[in-house]
Amino acid sequence: MRIEFDLNAPVDVVVDGELMSRSPTVRVTSLGEGGKRVRIWLPQSCHVRLGSFQADAALTPLPEGPRWLAYGSSITQCRLAAGPSETWPALVATRLGWSLRCLGFSGECHLDPAVARYIRDTEADVISLCVGVNIHDRASFSERTLGPVLDGFVRTIRDGHRDTPILLITPLHAPDRERQHNAVGLTLADVRAQVAAAAGDVPVLDGPSVLGPADAHLLSDGLHPNADGYRLMAERMLPHLAALLPTEGPNP
């Protein structure tokens, strides 16, 4: 079997659970006899345009697992992960056998109504919302407005997902920003508290429990995790996300 296509950033090809190739130009050969489970993870850190895809063997789509829609900032996009199959959402999805649709908007996670409507109208079995760090950085909302805007964002999603499990994740610990007042007077700790207070009946995962003060060495710039940080995030996120769909078993 041969898989061949060209891109401008690394693509991960995972065969039967093992990383076989990480390269902008992908040619995978000599897979041996018999059926193989091949997953292709497109780059998480650039625009992608597929030119061609060729395979000299019969292809059958893999069964789709529970559909997970993950919304967040650059910390969900995971530009500094070792590769697209090692972002924290990709690692969790692989472990749980979920089908991932990642909405990680670098610098642009501001609870836009258009995004809420997209999530509302998109099929999903589980939803995660990691919000707050861009709101603090850009002073998008004040103490007065953040709670109502987040409440409206979640209510819009609920219009299309009455019973879909949702997990709300507050910002990770960021040493230089915890007590740094932004243009509307909020620290990152304030934003975290506001997000948690506005959650209503949506379960909240406290960001510093995922990466906290003791993990500051895993932050590449005081804010974004490095590759090891994203692996640790996946490990710590896994049980909280798995609990949203307790009837689904992990991938063997």
Side-chain angles (χ1 to χ4, degrees):
M1 179 179 180
R2 181 184 67 201
I3 300 172
E4 182 175 337
F5 56 92
D6 294 328
L7 289 170
N8 294 320
V11 176
D12 283 359
V13 179
V14 178
V15 180
D16 289 340
E18 298 293 330
L19 180 65
M20 174 165 282
S21 171
R22 175 172 288 158
S23 172
T25 301
V26 180
R27 291 179 177 87
V28 181
T29 60
S30 303
L31 294 182
E33 299 297 324
K36 305 291 182 181
R37 294 173 63 91
V38 179
R39 293 185 184 274
I40 299 172
W41 293 89
L42 298 179
Q44 81 279 20
S45 58
C46 69
H47 295 287
V48 174
R49 177 178 295 172
L50 291 175
S52 65
F53 178 89
Q54 296 178 337
D56 59 5
L59 301 179
T60 302
L62 291 173
E64 185 178 51
R67 295 158 297 187
W68 173 26
L69 201 156
Y71 170 64
S73 66
S74 56
I75 296 172
T76 298
Q77 179 192 15
C78 308
R79 181 177 62 85
L80 298 179
S85 67
E86 293 190 73
T87 68
W88 74 260
L91 289 169
V92 170
T94 297
R95 180 70 179 90
L96 295 177
W98 289 359
S99 178
L100 170 66
R101 178 168 296 187
C102 186
L103 301 180
F105 297 121
S106 180
E108 297 297 334
C109 182
H110 296 283
L111 303 175
D112 295 289
V115 177
R117 293 193 295 270
Y118 175 83
I119 298 173
R120 176 197 65 192
D121 298 337
T122 300
E123 292 185 359
D125 299 298
V126 62
I127 297 168
S128 63
L129 310 172
C130 186
V131 301
V133 68
N134 291 160
I135 290 168
H136 173 257
D137 184 54
R138 297 297 183 180
S140 309
F141 306 108
S142 66
E143 183 178 5
R144 163 64 182 83
T145 58
L146 176 53
V149 170
L150 178 57
D151 178 70
F153 189 88
V154 173
R155 286 177 183 269
T156 296
I157 293 172
R158 280 288 183 223
D159 286 342
H161 296 280
R162 295 291 184 185
D163 301 313
T164 303
I166 299 175
L167 180 66
L168 182 61
I169 307 160
T170 69
L172 309 179
H173 179 80
D176 296 336
R177 301 179 184 226
E178 292 298 318
R179 300 300 171 189
Q180 180 187 75
H181 290 85
N182 65 10
V184 293
L186 294 177
T187 66
L188 186 61
D190 294 332
V191 170
R192 190 178 296 119
Q194 290 280 327
V195 169
D201 62 356
V202 173
V204 176
L205 176 58
D206 183 48
S209 71
V210 178
L211 281 186
D215 307 307
H217 63 288
L218 296 176
L219 302 176
S220 64
D221 56 2
L223 177 65
H224 298 92
N226 59 22
D228 287 336
Y230 283 123
R231 295 186 188 101
L232 182 59
M233 282 187 68
E235 179 182 326
R236 291 177 175 170
M237 290 275 199
L238 181 65
H240 298 279
L241 287 158
L244 299 178
L245 292 176
T247 60
E248 299 292 338
N251 261 357

